[in-house]
Amino acid sequence: MRKSVSTAVLLATLGFGIAGLGGGTGTFTARAQQKPETAEVKIDNFSFGPSELMVPVGTTITWTNRDDIPHTVVSTDKLFKSKVLDTDEKFSFTFSKAGSYPYFCSIHPKMTGKVVAQ
Amino acid sequence: MSVNPFDARTVLLAKHAQHVVLIHFPIALFTAAVAFDYFAQWAKSRTLAAAAYFNLLLAAVSTVPVVATGLAAWQWALEGQKLKGILLMHLVLGCLSSALIWFVLWIHLRIRRHPDESLPKYRLPIEAVAVLLVGLTGHLGGFLSGVNGPG
């Protein structure tokens, strides 16, 4: 009787342990999948850097204006459009669909860039 | 960005070319007008005064398309969003400069209707201030467009 109780306790402990380990692994995997991807584009000296960026779908890109001049970030396809960004101001957009997204500065249309989400 | 030659917006406002090109006319004409007016005052020359007047007249007229294209660029390229910083200063100084150019023209026009009267001397400091404002507006515009900037 005593032996069977001990065996039951041992099995229960093992069961909880495995369940806990499994749950832990599952949580870790879920967190790794849900962790949002981010990338940065700096606006400096009348250019976007990097001018072309390849990112996984779901990535949030943040543009930061490091220039002394105001700039904008405007998608050629009108998918996104920032307000006028003064020095050190930021604009973010999440690319939830795969595709190629060219953009430009509407104040200085010669300034162009591209995001490729895949 | 591709340029579509059949798209009116692109043709009229591609890279804000019209505003950037047209702005040189009032700057040059008004500066020349003021220079002629100062020389006319100094030399008491009616010929130089006439040259000043016609330069001033053309300068004032040329502010109309400049202001129009500037406002159009604001409305179309920036969708009329609230301006701040250098853009706001450029807009305000541009409007002030244009108003001063028209005010100086009005002073000259008023006297031309009465040939027996001479131009008031107080116009000279007003013209000097207007030249400074025009220069500052142009400098900010050049800074915005990248001509005067680090690039």
Side-chain angles (χ1 to χ4, degrees), chain B residues 3 5 12-13 16 21 29 33 42 53 59 69 77 84 87 93 99-100 110 125 131 136 140 142:
Chain B
V3 176
L12 290 171
L13 289 172
H16 321 306
V21 169
L29 288 163
W42 174 67
Y53 170 73
T69 50
K84 55 184 178 177
L87 278 166
L93 288 175
L100 263 182
R110 207 166 51 100
V131 167
L136 187 56
L140 288 178

Side-chain angles (χ1 to χ4, degrees), chain A residues 43-46 65-71 86-87, chain B residues 86 143 150:
Chain A
I43 307 170
D44 200 5
N45 202 18
F46 290 85
N65 184 9
R66 299 279 185 218
D67 224 340
D68 297 329
I69 310 294
H71 294 290
D86 273 339
T87 306
Chain B
I86 298 175
F143 204 61

Side-chain angles (χ1 to χ4, degrees), chain B residues 31-118:
Chain B
T31 310
V34 171
F36 279 131
D37 201 26
Y38 270 72
F39 279 125
Q41 181 74 24
W42 174 67
K44 305 208 182 308
S45 163
R46 293 180 79 87
T47 311
L48 285 172
Y53 170 73
F54 285 112
N55 273 283
L56 187 54
L57 181 66
L58 288 173
V61 170
S62 65
T63 60
V64 176
V66 168
V67 171
T69 50
L71 293 176
W74 173 30
Q75 291 303 312
W76 285 352
L78 299 177
E79 293 184 349
Q81 61 180 281
K82 197 175 176 184
L83 298 181
K84 55 184 178 177
I86 298 175
L87 278 166
L88 181 62
M89 278 173 70
H90 181 66
L91 173 71
V92 170
L93 288 175
C95 292
L96 270 177
S97 302
S98 300
L100 263 182
I101 290 172
W102 279 95
F103 179 62
V104 171
L105 176 67
W106 176 75
I107 294 172
H108 282 252
L109 271 174
R110 207 166 51 100
I111 296 303
R112 281 182 76 86
R113 287 187 193 135
H114 307 283
D116 49 320
E117 290 181 33
S118 57

Side-chain angles (χ1 to χ4, degrees), chain A residues 70-81:
Chain A
H71 294 290
T72 62
V73 181
V74 181
S75 160
T76 308
D77 309 324
K78 296 176 181 168
L79 183 70
F80 54 87
K81 179 169 194 156

Side-chain angles (χ1 to χ4, degrees), chain A residues 66-106:
Chain A
R66 299 279 185 218
D67 224 340
D68 297 329
I69 310 294
H71 294 290
T72 62
V73 181
V74 181
S75 160
T76 308
D77 309 324
K78 296 176 181 168
L79 183 70
F80 54 87
K81 179 169 194 156
S82 77
K83 63 181 181 68
V84 176
L85 303 173
D86 273 339
T87 306
D88 290 334
E89 285 190 328
K90 294 169 190 281
F91 167 71
S92 296
F93 183 80
T94 303
F95 291 84
S96 52
K97 283 183 185 171
S100 177
Y101 302 96
Y103 63 89
F104 64 100
C105 166
S106 59

